[in-house]
Amino acid sequence: YTLEVLFDEYRKEVRELVAEAEPHTLRWYARKAKEYLHGRVLLPYSDKYDLSGLSPENMDKLRIVRFAVASEYGNVVYIKVAGATDEGKPKVLADDVLIPFRAYIHQVKDAGVPIRVISSPGDELKLSLDVYLQPTLLSPQHKPSEDLDKEIRKVIEENITSLPFDGVFRVSDLVVALSIISGVEASVVTTASTTPAGTNSWQTIVGYHRPRSGYFNIKQLTINYKTYDPSGII
C-alpha cells in the first residue's frame, strides 16, 4: 500500500512537471483565458493565482470568461472571448472586465508574441428559407399551424445558438435539422448573409461561415411555406 501511495504521488509530480513544460499552443492560450480570475492578482513572476482561501463557488464567480478560442493569422495570436448569459449563451465582455483581462493576458503570454483580444457582440445573421410541408398541414393561405411554425423556428434558432463557440455555421446542417421535424418534407435556404455587429457590410454565406465574434445572433428570419407535391415529378 505504501509503495502504491508513493507511486501515485510520483505520477502526480510528473504530470505537474509536464504541464509546466507544455509549449504555449493556441489551446494553452484559450485555457489561460478561461482561468482568468476577475479582481485577483497573479503571484509574482508567475502565471498562476494564489487560490488559498477561495472556495470553488467563489472561484466560479470570478471566472468571468466562459468562452475562449485562440487562432493565429499573420503571426498575430487572436483570442476571442465572451462571458455567459443566465441561459449560458455567449455575451460581450464589459470594458471593466475586458481592460484588466487584456492586462492579464499580456502578463502570461510568451515574450514577443503579438496578441489581440476580441470580445464583441455576436455577428448578425439574416436567413430566408423555403420549407415544404405536407398539403394537409397548410391552410388555404399556405400557413401552418401556430404550433408547427413555432417548432420550425425553434429548431432553426437552436441550430444557430447551439453551435460551439467560434464554430462554423453550415447551411447543410440547418437543412438536416429541419428534416427531422414531422411534416417537413424538404427545405431550402434561399438566402443567408451575415455582418459583424454594428456594421453594414453584409456578406452572403455560401456553404459555411465562421463568425468573427465567435457566435451569431439572428437578426432576421423569413420562412416561406410551400406545399410538398411530388406527384407532378416524373
PDB file of all heavy atoms in Angstrom, residues 15-47:
ATOM      1  N   ARG A  15       3.123  14.649 -13.748  1.00  0.00           N
ATOM      2  CA  ARG A  15       2.099  15.351 -14.524  1.00  0.00           C
ATOM      3  C   ARG A  15       2.219  16.862 -14.363  1.00  0.00           C
ATOM      4  O   ARG A  15       2.049  17.617 -15.316  1.00  0.00           O
ATOM      5  CB  ARG A  15       0.706  14.878 -14.086  1.00  0.00           C
ATOM      6  CG  ARG A  15       0.296  13.521 -14.660  1.00  0.00           C
ATOM      7  CD  ARG A  15      -1.189  13.294 -14.525  1.00  0.00           C
ATOM      8  NE  ARG A  15      -1.599  13.236 -13.125  1.00  0.00           N
ATOM      9  CZ  ARG A  15      -1.681  12.123 -12.408  1.00  0.00           C
ATOM     10  NH1 ARG A  15      -1.362  10.960 -12.972  1.00  0.00           N
ATOM     11  NH2 ARG A  15      -2.068  12.150 -11.144  1.00  0.00           N
ATOM     12  N   GLU A  16       2.519  17.315 -13.150  1.00  0.00           N
ATOM     13  CA  GLU A  16       2.680  18.750 -12.911  1.00  0.00           C
ATOM     14  C   GLU A  16       3.888  19.296 -13.663  1.00  0.00           C
ATOM     15  O   GLU A  16       3.838  20.390 -14.232  1.00  0.00           O
ATOM     16  CB  GLU A  16       2.819  19.019 -11.415  1.00  0.00           C
ATOM     17  CG  GLU A  16       1.529  18.780 -10.633  1.00  0.00           C
ATOM     18  CD  GLU A  16       1.728  18.952  -9.137  1.00  0.00           C
ATOM     19  OE1 GLU A  16       2.901  19.106  -8.717  1.00  0.00           O
ATOM     20  OE2 GLU A  16       0.726  18.930  -8.391  1.00  0.00           O
ATOM     21  N   LEU A  17       4.999  18.516 -13.677  1.00  0.00           N
ATOM     22  CA  LEU A  17       6.191  18.952 -14.410  1.00  0.00           C
ATOM     23  C   LEU A  17       5.919  19.019 -15.906  1.00  0.00           C
ATOM     24  O   LEU A  17       6.361  19.950 -16.600  1.00  0.00           O
ATOM     25  CB  LEU A  17       7.360  17.996 -14.121  1.00  0.00           C
ATOM     26  CG  LEU A  17       7.931  18.053 -12.705  1.00  0.00           C
ATOM     27  CD1 LEU A  17       8.942  16.920 -12.497  1.00  0.00           C
ATOM     28  CD2 LEU A  17       8.598  19.406 -12.443  1.00  0.00           C
ATOM     29  N   VAL A  18       5.187  18.037 -16.435  1.00  0.00           N
ATOM     30  CA  VAL A  18       4.848  18.036 -17.859  1.00  0.00           C
ATOM     31  C   VAL A  18       3.964  19.221 -18.197  1.00  0.00           C
ATOM     32  O   VAL A  18       4.139  19.885 -19.230  1.00  0.00           O
ATOM     33  CB  VAL A  18       4.158  16.713 -18.244  1.00  0.00           C
ATOM     34  CG1 VAL A  18       3.606  16.795 -19.662  1.00  0.00           C
ATOM     35  CG2 VAL A  18       5.120  15.541 -18.119  1.00  0.00           C
ATOM     36  N   ALA A  19       2.993  19.513 -17.307  1.00  0.00           N
ATOM     37  CA  ALA A  19       2.085  20.640 -17.545  1.00  0.00           C
ATOM     38  C   ALA A  19       2.846  21.960 -17.556  1.00  0.00           C
ATOM     39  O   ALA A  19       2.575  22.853 -18.376  1.00  0.00           O
ATOM     40  CB  ALA A  19       0.995  20.667 -16.485  1.00  0.00           C
ATOM     41  N   GLU A  20       3.808  22.096 -16.665  1.00  0.00           N
ATOM     42  CA  GLU A  20       4.590  23.337 -16.614  1.00  0.00           C
ATOM     43  C   GLU A  20       5.488  23.487 -17.831  1.00  0.00           C
ATOM     44  O   GLU A  20       5.815  24.607 -18.239  1.00  0.00           O
ATOM     45  CB  GLU A  20       5.432  23.356 -15.340  1.00  0.00           C
ATOM     46  CG  GLU A  20       4.600  23.520 -14.065  1.00  0.00           C
ATOM     47  CD  GLU A  20       5.452  23.459 -12.806  1.00  0.00           C
ATOM     48  OE1 GLU A  20       6.678  23.284 -12.955  1.00  0.00           O
ATOM     49  OE2 GLU A  20       4.909  23.569 -11.706  1.00  0.00           O
ATOM     50  N   ALA A  21       5.884  22.354 -18.406  1.00  0.00           N
ATOM     51  CA  ALA A  21       6.769  22.401 -19.575  1.00  0.00           C
ATOM     52  C   ALA A  21       6.002  22.431 -20.891  1.00  0.00           C
ATOM     53  O   ALA A  21       6.601  22.421 -21.956  1.00  0.00           O
ATOM     54  CB  ALA A  21       7.692  21.173 -19.561  1.00  0.00           C
ATOM     55  N   GLU A  22       4.664  22.489 -20.808  1.00  0.00           N
ATOM     56  CA  GLU A  22       3.843  22.478 -22.013  1.00  0.00           C
ATOM     57  C   GLU A  22       4.149  23.685 -22.896  1.00  0.00           C
ATOM     58  O   GLU A  22       4.164  24.816 -22.421  1.00  0.00           O
ATOM     59  CB  GLU A  22       2.367  22.508 -21.636  1.00  0.00           C
ATOM     60  CG  GLU A  22       1.426  22.574 -22.814  1.00  0.00           C
ATOM     61  CD  GLU A  22      -0.015  22.774 -22.382  1.00  0.00           C
ATOM     62  OE1 GLU A  22      -0.258  22.925 -21.183  1.00  0.00           O
ATOM     63  OE2 GLU A  22      -0.890  22.808 -23.265  1.00  0.00           O
ATOM     64  N   PRO A  23       4.407  23.464 -24.170  1.00  0.00           N
ATOM     65  CA  PRO A  23       4.605  24.620 -25.062  1.00  0.00           C
ATOM     66  C   PRO A  23       3.320  25.424 -25.158  1.00  0.00           C
ATOM     67  O   PRO A  23       2.222  24.880 -25.067  1.00  0.00           O
ATOM     68  CB  PRO A  23       4.958  23.957 -26.406  1.00  0.00           C
ATOM     69  CG  PRO A  23       4.396  22.580 -26.321  1.00  0.00           C
ATOM     70  CD  PRO A  23       4.496  22.174 -24.887  1.00  0.00           C
ATOM     71  N   HIS A  24       3.464  26.713 -25.325  1.00  0.00           N
ATOM     72  CA  HIS A  24       2.298  27.581 -25.319  1.00  0.00           C
ATOM     73  C   HIS A  24       1.589  27.535 -26.675  1.00  0.00           C
ATOM     74  O   HIS A  24       1.772  28.390 -27.535  1.00  0.00           O
ATOM     75  CB  HIS A  24       2.714  29.003 -24.944  1.00  0.00           C
ATOM     76  CG  HIS A  24       3.185  29.110 -23.534  1.00  0.00           C
ATOM     77  ND1 HIS A  24       3.577  30.287 -22.949  1.00  0.00           N
ATOM     78  CD2 HIS A  24       3.299  28.169 -22.558  1.00  0.00           C
ATOM     79  CE1 HIS A  24       3.928  30.080 -21.694  1.00  0.00           C
ATOM     80  NE2 HIS A  24       3.782  28.802 -21.439  1.00  0.00           N
ATOM     81  N   THR A  25       0.750  26.519 -26.828  1.00  0.00           N
ATOM     82  CA  THR A  25      -0.020  26.330 -28.043  1.00  0.00           C
ATOM     83  C   THR A  25      -1.247  27.248 -28.015  1.00  0.00           C
ATOM     84  O   THR A  25      -1.523  27.926 -27.025  1.00  0.00           O
ATOM     85  CB  THR A  25      -0.480  24.871 -28.148  1.00  0.00           C
ATOM     86  OG1 THR A  25      -1.320  24.576 -27.013  1.00  0.00           O
ATOM     87  CG2 THR A  25       0.703  23.911 -28.154  1.00  0.00           C
ATOM     88  N   LEU A  26      -2.001  27.256 -29.114  1.00  0.00           N
ATOM     89  CA  LEU A  26      -3.234  28.038 -29.159  1.00  0.00           C
ATOM     90  C   LEU A  26      -4.226  27.538 -28.114  1.00  0.00           C
ATOM     91  O   LEU A  26      -4.958  28.332 -27.512  1.00  0.00           O
ATOM     92  CB  LEU A  26      -3.845  27.969 -30.567  1.00  0.00           C
ATOM     93  CG  LEU A  26      -3.011  28.616 -31.679  1.00  0.00           C
ATOM     94  CD1 LEU A  26      -3.669  28.369 -33.037  1.00  0.00           C
ATOM     95  CD2 LEU A  26      -2.805  30.106 -31.426  1.00  0.00           C
ATOM     96  N   ARG A  27      -4.251  26.226 -27.891  1.00  0.00           N
ATOM     97  CA  ARG A  27      -5.134  25.678 -26.853  1.00  0.00           C
ATOM     98  C   ARG A  27      -4.719  26.191 -25.474  1.00  0.00           C
ATOM     99  O   ARG A  27      -5.565  26.418 -24.597  1.00  0.00           O
ATOM    100  CB  ARG A  27      -5.109  24.145 -26.879  1.00  0.00           C
ATOM    101  CG  ARG A  27      -5.811  23.546 -28.080  1.00  0.00           C
ATOM    102  CD  ARG A  27      -5.961  22.044 -27.934  1.00  0.00           C
ATOM    103  NE  ARG A  27      -4.660  21.394 -27.789  1.00  0.00           N
ATOM    104  CZ  ARG A  27      -3.908  21.010 -28.798  1.00  0.00           C
ATOM    105  NH1 ARG A  27      -4.308  21.235 -30.044  1.00  0.00           N
ATOM    106  NH2 ARG A  27      -2.756  20.412 -28.600  1.00  0.00           N
ATOM    107  N   TRP A  28      -3.423  26.351 -25.253  1.00  0.00           N
ATOM    108  CA  TRP A  28      -2.941  26.870 -23.974  1.00  0.00           C
ATOM    109  C   TRP A  28      -3.446  28.290 -23.757  1.00  0.00           C
ATOM    110  O   TRP A  28      -3.889  28.634 -22.657  1.00  0.00           O
ATOM    111  CB  TRP A  28      -1.413  26.837 -23.961  1.00  0.00           C
ATOM    112  CG  TRP A  28      -0.805  27.357 -22.687  1.00  0.00           C
ATOM    113  CD1 TRP A  28      -0.509  26.627 -21.563  1.00  0.00           C
ATOM    114  CD2 TRP A  28      -0.400  28.706 -22.406  1.00  0.00           C
ATOM    115  NE1 TRP A  28       0.043  27.449 -20.602  1.00  0.00           N
ATOM    116  CE2 TRP A  28       0.115  28.717 -21.083  1.00  0.00           C
ATOM    117  CE3 TRP A  28      -0.426  29.889 -23.127  1.00  0.00           C
ATOM    118  CZ2 TRP A  28       0.598  29.878 -20.485  1.00  0.00           C
ATOM    119  CZ3 TRP A  28       0.045  31.052 -22.537  1.00  0.00           C
ATOM    120  CH2 TRP A  28       0.555  31.044 -21.230  1.00  0.00           C
ATOM    121  N   TYR A  29      -3.383  29.124 -24.798  1.00  0.00           N
ATOM    122  CA  TYR A  29      -3.869  30.496 -24.662  1.00  0.00           C
ATOM    123  C   TYR A  29      -5.359  30.522 -24.328  1.00  0.00           C
ATOM    124  O   TYR A  29      -5.817  31.325 -23.510  1.00  0.00           O
ATOM    125  CB  TYR A  29      -3.597  31.284 -25.948  1.00  0.00           C
ATOM    126  CG  TYR A  29      -2.185  31.809 -26.032  1.00  0.00           C
ATOM    127  CD1 TYR A  29      -1.229  31.185 -26.821  1.00  0.00           C
ATOM    128  CD2 TYR A  29      -1.802  32.926 -25.307  1.00  0.00           C
ATOM    129  CE1 TYR A  29       0.070  31.669 -26.898  1.00  0.00           C
ATOM    130  CE2 TYR A  29      -0.505  33.424 -25.376  1.00  0.00           C
ATOM    131  CZ  TYR A  29       0.430  32.782 -26.174  1.00  0.00           C
ATOM    132  OH  TYR A  29       1.710  33.264 -26.231  1.00  0.00           O
ATOM    133  N   ALA A  30      -6.143  29.660 -24.984  1.00  0.00           N
ATOM    134  CA  ALA A  30      -7.583  29.607 -24.698  1.00  0.00           C
ATOM    135  C   ALA A  30      -7.827  29.154 -23.266  1.00  0.00           C
ATOM    136  O   ALA A  30      -8.700  29.685 -22.566  1.00  0.00           O
ATOM    137  CB  ALA A  30      -8.271  28.670 -25.684  1.00  0.00           C
ATOM    138  N   ARG A  31      -7.043  28.179 -22.803  1.00  0.00           N
ATOM    139  CA  ARG A  31      -7.216  27.694 -21.424  1.00  0.00           C
ATOM    140  C   ARG A  31      -6.840  28.760 -20.414  1.00  0.00           C
ATOM    141  O   ARG A  31      -7.540  28.953 -19.407  1.00  0.00           O
ATOM    142  CB  ARG A  31      -6.367  26.428 -21.219  1.00  0.00           C
ATOM    143  CG  ARG A  31      -6.448  25.864 -19.795  1.00  0.00           C
ATOM    144  CD  ARG A  31      -5.887  24.456 -19.747  1.00  0.00           C
ATOM    145  NE  ARG A  31      -4.514  24.394 -20.197  1.00  0.00           N
ATOM    146  CZ  ARG A  31      -3.465  24.679 -19.425  1.00  0.00           C
ATOM    147  NH1 ARG A  31      -3.643  25.071 -18.167  1.00  0.00           N
ATOM    148  NH2 ARG A  31      -2.243  24.570 -19.885  1.00  0.00           N
ATOM    149  N   LYS A  32      -5.747  29.480 -20.669  1.00  0.00           N
ATOM    150  CA  LYS A  32      -5.344  30.548 -19.740  1.00  0.00           C
ATOM    151  C   LYS A  32      -6.392  31.658 -19.704  1.00  0.00           C
ATOM    152  O   LYS A  32      -6.615  32.285 -18.656  1.00  0.00           O
ATOM    153  CB  LYS A  32      -3.988  31.116 -20.144  1.00  0.00           C
ATOM    154  CG  LYS A  32      -2.830  30.146 -20.036  1.00  0.00           C
ATOM    155  CD  LYS A  32      -2.686  29.545 -18.646  1.00  0.00           C
ATOM    156  CE  LYS A  32      -2.232  30.552 -17.615  1.00  0.00           C
ATOM    157  NZ  LYS A  32      -1.982  29.940 -16.290  1.00  0.00           N
ATOM    158  N   ALA A  33      -7.039  31.915 -20.834  1.00  0.00           N
ATOM    159  CA  ALA A  33      -8.090  32.937 -20.847  1.00  0.00           C
ATOM    160  C   ALA A  33      -9.235  32.547 -19.922  1.00  0.00           C
ATOM    161  O   ALA A  33      -9.759  33.381 -19.169  1.00  0.00           O
ATOM    162  CB  ALA A  33      -8.600  33.136 -22.278  1.00  0.00           C
ATOM    163  N   LYS A  34      -9.622  31.270 -19.940  1.00  0.00           N
ATOM    164  CA  LYS A  34     -10.713  30.817 -19.077  1.00  0.00           C
ATOM    165  C   LYS A  34     -10.309  30.747 -17.612  1.00  0.00           C
ATOM    166  O   LYS A  34     -11.162  30.731 -16.724  1.00  0.00           O
ATOM    167  CB  LYS A  34     -11.199  29.434 -19.538  1.00  0.00           C
ATOM    168  CG  LYS A  34     -11.879  29.448 -20.892  1.00  0.00           C
ATOM    169  CD  LYS A  34     -12.328  28.049 -21.284  1.00  0.00           C
ATOM    170  CE  LYS A  34     -12.990  28.046 -22.648  1.00  0.00           C
ATOM    171  NZ  LYS A  34     -13.410  26.680 -23.048  1.00  0.00           N
ATOM    172  N   GLU A  35      -8.994  30.714 -17.342  1.00  0.00           N
ATOM    173  CA  GLU A  35      -8.522  30.661 -15.958  1.00  0.00           C
ATOM    174  C   GLU A  35      -8.424  32.041 -15.319  1.00  0.00           C
ATOM    175  O   GLU A  35      -8.098  32.162 -14.129  1.00  0.00           O
ATOM    176  CB  GLU A  35      -7.150  29.978 -15.905  1.00  0.00           C
ATOM    177  CG  GLU A  35      -7.203  28.484 -16.214  1.00  0.00           C
ATOM    178  CD  GLU A  35      -5.819  27.842 -16.224  1.00  0.00           C
ATOM    179  OE1 GLU A  35      -4.816  28.586 -16.041  1.00  0.00           O
ATOM    180  OE2 GLU A  35      -5.734  26.620 -16.422  1.00  0.00           O
ATOM    181  N   TYR A  36      -8.719  33.081 -16.062  1.00  0.00           N
ATOM    182  CA  TYR A  36      -8.660  34.446 -15.538  1.00  0.00           C
ATOM    183  C   TYR A  36      -9.649  34.616 -14.379  1.00  0.00           C
ATOM    184  O   TYR A  36     -10.821  34.247 -14.483  1.00  0.00           O
ATOM    185  CB  TYR A  36      -8.983  35.439 -16.643  1.00  0.00           C
ATOM    186  CG  TYR A  36      -9.213  36.851 -16.163  1.00  0.00           C
ATOM    187  CD1 TYR A  36      -8.162  37.599 -15.642  1.00  0.00           C
ATOM    188  CD2 TYR A  36     -10.478  37.430 -16.225  1.00  0.00           C
ATOM    189  CE1 TYR A  36      -8.369  38.904 -15.190  1.00  0.00           C
ATOM    190  CE2 TYR A  36     -10.696  38.725 -15.790  1.00  0.00           C
ATOM    191  CZ  TYR A  36      -9.634  39.452 -15.268  1.00  0.00           C
ATOM    192  OH  TYR A  36      -9.840  40.736 -14.821  1.00  0.00           O
ATOM    193  N   LEU A  37      -9.165  35.158 -13.263  1.00  0.00           N
ATOM    194  CA  LEU A  37      -9.993  35.431 -12.093  1.00  0.00           C
ATOM    195  C   LEU A  37     -10.133  36.945 -11.948  1.00  0.00           C
ATOM    196  O   LEU A  37      -9.150  37.632 -11.629  1.00  0.00           O
ATOM    197  CB  LEU A  37      -9.386  34.827 -10.826  1.00  0.00           C
ATOM    198  CG  LEU A  37      -9.229  33.295 -10.798  1.00  0.00           C
ATOM    199  CD1 LEU A  37      -8.616  32.855  -9.473  1.00  0.00           C
ATOM    200  CD2 LEU A  37     -10.564  32.609 -11.025  1.00  0.00           C
ATOM    201  N   HIS A  38     -11.314  37.438 -12.182  1.00  0.00           N
ATOM    202  CA  HIS A  38     -11.531  38.883 -12.181  1.00  0.00           C
ATOM    203  C   HIS A  38     -11.347  39.458 -10.781  1.00  0.00           C
ATOM    204  O   HIS A  38     -11.942  38.986  -9.815  1.00  0.00           O
ATOM    205  CB  HIS A  38     -12.946  39.192 -12.684  1.00  0.00           C
ATOM    206  CG  HIS A  38     -13.190  40.649 -12.888  1.00  0.00           C
ATOM    207  ND1 HIS A  38     -12.395  41.430 -13.695  1.00  0.00           N
ATOM    208  CD2 HIS A  38     -14.140  41.481 -12.373  1.00  0.00           C
ATOM    209  CE1 HIS A  38     -12.846  42.668 -13.698  1.00  0.00           C
ATOM    210  NE2 HIS A  38     -13.892  42.733 -12.898  1.00  0.00           N
ATOM    211  N   GLY A  39     -10.485  40.480 -10.684  1.00  0.00           N
ATOM    212  CA  GLY A  39     -10.246  41.136  -9.406  1.00  0.00           C
ATOM    213  C   GLY A  39      -9.113  40.538  -8.591  1.00  0.00           C
ATOM    214  O   GLY A  39      -8.792  41.055  -7.519  1.00  0.00           O
ATOM    215  N   ARG A  40      -8.482  39.467  -9.083  1.00  0.00           N
ATOM    216  CA  ARG A  40      -7.368  38.840  -8.378  1.00  0.00           C
ATOM    217  C   ARG A  40      -6.046  39.181  -9.073  1.00  0.00           C
ATOM    218  O   ARG A  40      -6.017  39.523 -10.257  1.00  0.00           O
ATOM    219  CB  ARG A  40      -7.538  37.318  -8.325  1.00  0.00           C
ATOM    220  CG  ARG A  40      -8.850  36.847  -7.735  1.00  0.00           C
ATOM    221  CD  ARG A  40      -8.917  37.061  -6.240  1.00  0.00           C
ATOM    222  NE  ARG A  40      -7.982  36.172  -5.542  1.00  0.00           N
ATOM    223  CZ  ARG A  40      -7.992  35.979  -4.226  1.00  0.00           C
ATOM    224  NH1 ARG A  40      -8.863  36.643  -3.456  1.00  0.00           N
ATOM    225  NH2 ARG A  40      -7.129  35.164  -3.662  1.00  0.00           N
ATOM    226  N   VAL A  41      -4.961  39.075  -8.322  1.00  0.00           N
ATOM    227  CA  VAL A  41      -3.626  39.405  -8.825  1.00  0.00           C
ATOM    228  C   VAL A  41      -2.792  38.135  -8.931  1.00  0.00           C
ATOM    229  O   VAL A  41      -2.826  37.280  -8.026  1.00  0.00           O
ATOM    230  CB  VAL A  41      -2.921  40.422  -7.903  1.00  0.00           C
ATOM    231  CG1 VAL A  41      -1.525  40.740  -8.414  1.00  0.00           C
ATOM    232  CG2 VAL A  41      -3.749  41.697  -7.783  1.00  0.00           C
ATOM    233  N   LEU A  42      -2.031  38.011 -10.008  1.00  0.00           N
ATOM    234  CA  LEU A  42      -1.154  36.859 -10.174  1.00  0.00           C
ATOM    235  C   LEU A  42      -0.028  36.885  -9.143  1.00  0.00           C
ATOM    236  O   LEU A  42       0.387  37.947  -8.677  1.00  0.00           O
ATOM    237  CB  LEU A  42      -0.553  36.844 -11.577  1.00  0.00           C
ATOM    238  CG  LEU A  42      -1.514  36.579 -12.742  1.00  0.00           C
ATOM    239  CD1 LEU A  42      -0.803  36.851 -14.064  1.00  0.00           C
ATOM    240  CD2 LEU A  42      -2.050  35.158 -12.695  1.00  0.00           C
ATOM    241  N   LEU A  43       0.470  35.698  -8.816  1.00  0.00           N
ATOM    242  CA  LEU A  43       1.634  35.613  -7.949  1.00  0.00           C
ATOM    243  C   LEU A  43       2.834  36.261  -8.652  1.00  0.00           C
ATOM    244  O   LEU A  43       2.913  36.242  -9.884  1.00  0.00           O
ATOM    245  CB  LEU A  43       1.944  34.147  -7.625  1.00  0.00           C
ATOM    246  CG  LEU A  43       0.929  33.425  -6.723  1.00  0.00           C
ATOM    247  CD1 LEU A  43       1.203  31.929  -6.725  1.00  0.00           C
ATOM    248  CD2 LEU A  43       0.987  33.978  -5.301  1.00  0.00           C
ATOM    249  N   PRO A  44       3.765  36.826  -7.894  1.00  0.00           N
ATOM    250  CA  PRO A  44       4.926  37.469  -8.520  1.00  0.00           C
ATOM    251  C   PRO A  44       5.709  36.498  -9.408  1.00  0.00           C
ATOM    252  O   PRO A  44       5.941  35.351  -9.027  1.00  0.00           O
ATOM    253  CB  PRO A  44       5.775  37.928  -7.318  1.00  0.00           C
ATOM    254  CG  PRO A  44       4.797  38.044  -6.188  1.00  0.00           C
ATOM    255  CD  PRO A  44       3.778  36.964  -6.420  1.00  0.00           C
ATOM    256  N   TYR A  45       6.071  36.958 -10.618  1.00  0.00           N
ATOM    257  CA  TYR A  45       6.856  36.166 -11.579  1.00  0.00           C
ATOM    258  C   TYR A  45       6.187  34.828 -11.893  1.00  0.00           C
ATOM    259  O   TYR A  45       6.842  33.796 -12.023  1.00  0.00           O
ATOM    260  CB  TYR A  45       8.273  35.928 -11.044  1.00  0.00           C
ATOM    261  CG  TYR A  45       8.952  37.191 -10.577  1.00  0.00           C
ATOM    262  CD1 TYR A  45       9.114  37.451  -9.208  1.00  0.00           C
ATOM    263  CD2 TYR A  45       9.413  38.152 -11.484  1.00  0.00           C
ATOM    264  CE1 TYR A  45       9.719  38.618  -8.763  1.00  0.00           C
ATOM    265  CE2 TYR A  45      10.011  39.313 -11.052  1.00  0.00           C
ATOM    266  CZ  TYR A  45      10.167  39.543  -9.693  1.00  0.00           C
ATOM    267  OH  TYR A  45      10.759  40.716  -9.254  1.00  0.00           O
ATOM    268  N   SER A  46       4.867  34.839 -11.975  1.00  0.00           N
ATOM    269  CA  SER A  46       4.129  33.595 -12.196  1.00  0.00           C
ATOM    270  C   SER A  46       2.905  33.881 -13.061  1.00  0.00           C
ATOM    271  O   SER A  46       2.474  35.027 -13.196  1.00  0.00           O
ATOM    272  CB  SER A  46       3.686  32.989 -10.857  1.00  0.00           C
ATOM    273  OG  SER A  46       2.833  31.877 -11.067  1.00  0.00           O
ATOM    274  N   ASP A  47       2.377  32.810 -13.666  1.00  0.00           N
ATOM    275  CA  ASP A  47       1.123  32.933 -14.399  1.00  0.00           C
ATOM    276  C   ASP A  47      -0.011  32.238 -13.648  1.00  0.00           C
ATOM    277  O   ASP A  47      -1.023  31.855 -14.221  1.00  0.00           O
ATOM    278  CB  ASP A  47       1.256  32.343 -15.807  1.00  0.00           C
ATOM    279  CG  ASP A  47       1.582  30.850 -15.786  1.00  0.00           C
ATOM    280  OD1 ASP A  47       1.828  30.299 -14.686  1.00  0.00           O
ATOM    281  OD2 ASP A  47       1.587  30.220 -16.860  1.00  0.00           O
TER     282      ASP A  47
END
